[in-house]
Amino acid sequence: MSLSFITLGIGDAFSALRYSSCFAVEAEDQVLLVDCPHPIRKMMREASESSGVPLDADRVSAVALTHLHADHASGLESLGYFSFFVLQRKLEVLAHPAVADRLWEGNLAAGMECLIERRGEPPNDKHFEDYFRHTPLSTETAVRHGPFLIESRMTYHHVPTTALRIHAGGRCLGYSADTAFDEGLIDWLSKADLIIHETNYGVHTPYEKLAALPAELRARMRLIHYPDDFDTSASVIEPLAQGRRYNV
């Protein structure tokens, strides 16, 4: 299997049934997480049990982060700490500079900037670089990470967000990330062999817009980030199932 992915979560931020949207992409025995919600290690363990694919933090070579909303990024603190204390290595984060700009000061610093290493000693100030390595993604050129070649494109969302095209083994996986319906983005994603596209309410993509796309494109599309009340049985586009492995 040259390029595959395991769904760790498929729900939205308000789901009472499913974990938040996140998946692990695998090629050449290397695992790239796309987004990192909490509780990420529990999500990996349960997906490992259901899919039969061994998954844990030690197999994750990097996290490709699409944006900073908590349902996509809240697990970075725990995974960063686990990498620092247990694996004794830095966690690589692949993110566009516009996404990474407030990652430390706006999200992680409050919980990670000070460590008390010995009783009675003052806190030891920490910085992003103590826990993580940042590899910038670009909307102009593809970025290489191991077997993966990653392209990105900005989407229309509340905060800076990037869609992704991930290439490996002669195949390409497209991911819309969170976005309003965007014909230009659909065209960009259509170059991929398989497309994962979100659908939800508000400033997201309505299912009806995706259902009206050409049949050939819908056949290569899978749905994620759908609300709990979404009628999966009536969908003309296959919804992803949590904890399953898919080939691209």
Side-chain angles (χ1 to χ4, degrees), residues 208-223:
E208 293 75 17
K209 292 285 190 180
L210 298 177
L213 293 172
E216 184 278 331
L217 187 56
R218 297 198 313 265
R220 292 188 288 117
M221 186 173 285
R222 304 293 182 266
L223 299 180

Side-chain angles (χ1 to χ4, degrees), residues 144-220:
R144 171 70 64 182
H145 172 74
F148 307 105
L149 191 66
I150 306 167
E151 300 173 287
S152 61
R153 185 186 193 278
M154 303 307 295
T155 76
Y156 186 77
H157 198 41
H158 301 288
V159 297
T161 305
T162 53
L164 303 173
R165 288 193 307 214
I166 302 172
H167 303 258
R171 303 290 285 176
C172 178
L173 176 65
Y175 179 42
S176 70
D178 285 13
T179 184
F181 181 73
D182 179 348
E183 291 182 352
L185 176 60
I186 295 291
D187 181 65
W188 187 81
L189 291 169
S190 70
K191 310 303 188 295
D193 296 293
L194 189 71
I195 302 162
I196 300 174
H197 205 293
E198 71 110 85
T199 183
N200 214 291
Y201 307 121
V203 185
H204 289 276
T205 298
Y207 164 75
E208 293 75 17
K209 292 285 190 180
L210 298 177
L213 293 172
E216 184 278 331
L217 187 56
R218 297 198 313 265
R220 292 188 288 117

Side-chain angles (χ1 to χ4, degrees), residues 65-197:
L65 190 63
T66 65
H67 66 294
L68 298 187
H69 279 157
D71 60 323
H72 293 261
S74 58
L76 274 175
E77 178 181 313
S78 63
L79 193 59
Y81 269 144
F82 188 86
S83 297
F84 180 82
F85 285 114
V86 180
L87 302 179
Q88 297 186 340
R89 70 184 192 192
K90 295 180 182 181
L91 177 63
E92 185 167 359
V93 177
L94 310 173
H96 189 278
V99 175
D101 181 54
R102 300 189 65 196
L103 177 57
W104 180 251
E105 291 297 336
N107 287 67
L108 297 172
M112 303 184 80
E113 64 184 352
C114 290
L115 291 180
I116 299 176
E117 298 187 341
R118 294 179 180 82
R119 185 177 296 276
E121 292 188 0
N124 181 10
D125 290 347
K126 294 294 183 184
H127 306 279
F128 179 89
E129 294 76 15
D130 293 307
Y131 304 103
F132 304 97
R133 293 195 312 272
H134 175 222
T135 298
L137 296 180
S138 171
T139 56
E140 304 297 327
T141 59
V143 174
R144 171 70 64 182
H145 172 74
F148 307 105
L149 191 66
I150 306 167
E151 300 173 287
S152 61
R153 185 186 193 278
M154 303 307 295
T155 76
Y156 186 77
H157 198 41
H158 301 288
V159 297
T161 305
T162 53
L164 303 173
R165 288 193 307 214
I166 302 172
H167 303 258
R171 303 290 285 176
C172 178
L173 176 65
Y175 179 42
S176 70
D178 285 13
T179 184
F181 181 73
D182 179 348
E183 291 182 352
L185 176 60
I186 295 291
D187 181 65
W188 187 81
L189 291 169
S190 70
K191 310 303 188 295
D193 296 293
L194 189 71
I195 302 162
I196 300 174
H197 205 293

